[in-house]
Amino acid sequence: MTLPPERLERFARHIVLPEIGGAGQAALASAKVVLIGVGGIGSPALQYLAGAGIGSLVLIDDDTVDVTNLQRQTIFREHEVTRGKADLAAAWVREFDAHLDVRWISDRITSDNAGQLIEGADLVLDGCDNFATRLAVSDACVAAGIPLLSAAVGRFQGQVGAFAGHLPDQACYRCYVGDAFDADDCDTCAEDGMLGAMAGWTATFAALQAIRVLLAPVGGLGDPQWGKLHLLDGLAPSMRTLNLAKDPACRACSSGA
């Protein structure tokens, strides 16, 4: 893929980086990323994915904007309260960069439709807020052979993990959390609170990791870091990394299950 002159100028600060260059920027321009949720994780992540020139974006969210979202969901404005998030997020992308191909879906993603909704993606970035959806997305990614970045945040803590459970020796998200979380109930920021900037840190780190994964085929930023879970602590502040092993009994990604 050859970038036209005006695109070369727009991404000049990327292209001068030896780790990216013209080939890397072209790889980003030809990539398709499915973003699950455009809320606290998805809003800031979308801004940096679009800013990086990811050529095709699919935005999935069935929620509407609430006034309490504005503290951390950075693409929404006061007059947009009660409107659908996915539609608004797609409109933001089109206004930001008309060269990007963006599609929005306001359906709730489930185990029944996840495979269809992520079809053709080079990467799925999941920033949703419940385990049932995360596991449905993970299982669909394993079945389709699509890498998954999973990001979550609450209070002053965040986590970002890269999963490639379709590969023989790599863990999937279900290997990490197990089967006990196939339910919608989990802690919410309405109950526990969340520092808005913590959502931003987690989301932008997830965007960095997404770029890392997409550039891996052309050398880019090195190892895609499969099976590594990065834990972000906003109070310390600090970050530590855990290595996740494939569960030989995982019913999603292990042949022995």
Side-chain angles (χ1 to χ4, degrees), residues 35 39 41 44 51 56-57 67-68 82 97 116-117 154 159 180 187 215 219 237 247 256:
L35 185 58
I41 296 291
S56 180
L57 295 160
V67 68
T68 61
T82 74
D97 189 344
Q116 178 184 354
L117 295 180
Q159 62 179 39
D187 296 337
L215 290 179
D247 179 0

Side-chain angles (χ1 to χ4, degrees), residues 91-180:
W92 180 90
V93 173
R94 288 191 290 267
E95 185 175 351
F96 176 75
D97 189 344
H99 285 81
L100 304 182
D101 176 55
V102 60
R103 184 164 65 96
W104 61 276
I105 300 169
S106 58
D107 297 338
R108 185 172 184 81
I109 193 165
T110 68
S111 57
D112 293 328
N113 65 10
Q116 178 184 354
L117 295 180
I118 68 170
E119 186 176 3
D122 297 295
L123 174 69
V124 172
L125 198 168
D126 184 3
C128 75
D129 61 359
N130 69 87
F131 285 111
T133 301
R134 292 173 195 162
L135 286 165
V137 169
S138 175
D139 292 350
C141 284
V142 171
I146 299 172
L148 170 68
L149 273 176
S150 181
V153 65
R155 291 178 56 82
F156 301 95
Q157 289 79 40
Q159 62 179 39
V160 178
F163 300 93
H166 57 286
L167 299 179
D169 299 319
Q170 298 298 337
C172 72
Y173 183 80
R174 189 176 289 276
C175 293
Y176 167 44
V177 302
D179 295 333

Side-chain angles (χ1 to χ4, degrees), residues 36 53 56 66 176 205 209 225:
I36 312 295
S56 180
D66 185 85
Y176 167 44
F205 184 74
Q209 295 299 84
Q225 301 193 347

